Amino acid sequence: MPKDPFDWIDDASRRRERAGLVRTLRPRGADGGPVDLAGNDYLGLTRRPEVTEAAAAAARTWGAGATGSRLVTGSTALHAELERELAAFCGFEAALVLSSGYAANLAAVTALSGREALIVSDAGNHASIVDGCRLSRAETAVVAHADVDAVRKTLEAHPGRRAVTVTDSVFSVDGDAAPLTALAEVCAEAGAGLLVDDAHGLGVLGDGGRGALHSAGLAGRSGVVATVTLSKSLGSQGGAVLGPARVIDHLVNTARSFIFDTGLAPAAAGGALAALRVLRREPALPARTRALARTLHRRLTGEGFTAARPDAAVVSVHAPSPEAAVRWAADCRAAGLAVGCFRPPSVPDGISRIRLTARADLTDQQVERAVTTIVGTAPVS
């Protein structure tokens, strides 16, 4: 009998199990459940009545799905309205909404590089940026995490070459912020573009949550482009690219993850737009999120845990091993607290972590319960 062509999957599965790297889907209930410090709903807007009602109204008006690519039938007046308001809020000339933050990064990285270009990419960048670099067919130089001098030296080694430096604004593993001002200066000196994934900055950093680039005074600069997600602070789904109008027009005409993908569902666009308007009305929400992240960090490091200082909403606590991280997260969940679990290959330094995300609507009692639970379930090194 011929060998089953997928027998190799069983071997790969056994290797993952031995290494403690098995991942499991865990459907969550609609109501109640554990205190959530695992999701990315930084401002607590995903269940706000005005956000859910706007999503429902958009579905009733425009239908459950976009019906096609945005260049065919998938673009509505709602998408255009969201793009205008998002660009204005963040301080950019124009915006383009896509079906996810992942798709937005693929679009921006591939469309702004190409075979002749050089990409300088931070070693801590999100997987969507890494995949964009691979798909771009550009030469990609991966530099040490947050190392401005390494970026400078790499760009100086390729004088006159079309180049773009790509970085997260806030890195998803440890929650630390990129040195955006210094990177912008280096890129400007070399004539390189700067592309920043502000997924973890929008709604958390900057004046009223306008993002890390706005906070650094870089929003709207001609050589600067940002990507954002609508699935974190805006509590919905989708992504967007923000930048000069000519860059956005270029993406409309060349970015494959925009051209060949079904447009963002109207409900998601309507929910994100409503969340953005809530953020404009309640500019204190970002400060509350940041304060809670600092409180979690202070309390946990005071208990002897190792955790990077949070620059936004993410607090990552080191675990002694991948198996220990999985067990720690499971024990927290059993005790009524949901936390994230980061293990190789998701972490570039090989250190496993549980990851906590602060949320503006957490009560002081919930924060206290979270700290008590994490301390009480911690694995023995």
Side-chain angles (χ1 to χ4, degrees):
M1 294 290 292
K3 181 180 179 181
D4 189 305
F6 297 122
D7 279 346
W8 62 271
I9 291 177
D10 297 330
D11 293 332
S13 178
R14 284 188 288 270
R15 288 195 298 272
R16 280 195 300 271
E17 188 171 358
R18 287 195 298 270
L21 300 178
V22 175
R23 286 158 170 78
T24 305
L25 289 172
R26 187 185 299 106
R28 61 182 173 90
D31 296 303
V35 176
D36 182 16
L37 268 70
N40 295 317
D41 182 23
Y42 294 144
L43 304 181
L45 297 182
T46 194
R47 290 181 179 273
R48 284 281 289 262
E50 55 265 63
V51 174
T52 57
E53 286 304 312
R60 288 191 294 268
T61 301
W62 300 101
T67 76
S69 160
R70 287 194 60 193
L71 287 169
V72 183
T73 59
S75 199
T76 70
L78 187 60
H79 291 83
E81 190 174 6
L82 173 58
E83 287 166 344
R84 287 192 299 270
E85 293 198 20
L86 187 60
F89 179 76
C90 295
F92 286 86
E93 188 176 10
L96 182 67
V97 166
L98 293 92
S99 61
S100 70
Y102 204 110
N105 272 341
L106 293 186
V109 174
T110 56
L112 297 178
S113 58
R115 288 183 184 274
E116 305 83 12
L118 170 71
I119 299 174
V120 184
S121 180
D122 189 289
N125 279 341
H126 188 264
S128 55
I129 294 177
V130 175
D131 288 353
C133 292
R134 291 169 176 167
L135 290 170
S136 72
R137 302 183 182 181
E139 179 184 350
T140 300
V142 179
V143 296
H145 177 52
D147 190 334
V148 176
D149 194 48
V151 174
R152 177 185 292 105
K153 289 178 180 177
T154 303
L155 292 173
E156 288 176 348
H158 299 81
R161 188 172 182 182
R162 180 158 59 87
V164 59
T165 296
V166 189
T167 183
D168 286 2
S169 65
V170 177
F171 294 89
S172 60
V173 173
D174 274 330
D176 58 317
L180 294 182
T181 301
L183 286 173
E185 292 175 359
V186 167
C187 289
E189 291 169 1
L194 177 61
L195 172 59
V196 179
D197 178 358
D198 203 20
H200 297 276
L202 175 64
V204 180
L205 299 178
D207 178 26
R210 286 171 170 79
L213 286 160
H214 191 280
S215 178
L218 301 175
R221 286 198 185 181
S222 61
V224 176
V225 175
T227 59
V228 297
T229 180
L230 312 178
S231 64
K232 293 182 171 59
S233 289
L234 297 186
S236 183
Q237 189 172 348
V241 183
L242 312 172
R246 64 177 179 174
V247 168
I248 300 307
D249 182 67
H250 177 69
L251 265 65
V252 169
N253 284 276
T254 64
R256 295 173 67 85
S257 62
F258 173 79
I259 295 170
F260 299 106
D261 191 20
T262 297
L264 182 67
L273 181 58
L276 179 62
R277 290 170 176 172
V278 170
L279 177 56
R280 283 208 307 262
R281 293 197 308 269
E282 302 181 26
L285 288 174
R288 168 70 177 168
T289 300
R290 296 194 304 271
L292 289 176
R294 291 192 297 270
T295 296
L296 286 166
H297 176 262
R298 184 181 67 254
R299 293 290 307 281
L300 292 171
T301 54
E303 293 287 345
F305 296 108
T306 300
R309 181 182 63 83
D311 288 321
V314 173
V315 181
S316 286
V317 185
H318 288 192
S321 68
E323 296 86 353
V326 172
R327 186 169 61 253
W328 198 359
D331 289 345
C332 282
R333 179 172 288 275
L337 175 70
V339 300
C341 179
F342 273 38
R343 300 161 285 159
S346 298
V347 289
D349 58 8
I351 299 173
S352 295
R353 298 157 168 84
I354 61 167
R355 194 186 75 155
L356 321 175
T357 50
R359 206 176 65 238
D361 62 339
L362 288 172
T363 66
D364 293 341
Q365 291 77 16
Q366 287 174 319
V367 171
E368 183 64 32
R369 177 181 170 188
V371 171
T372 301
T373 301
I374 291 165
V375 172
T377 58
V380 178
S381 301

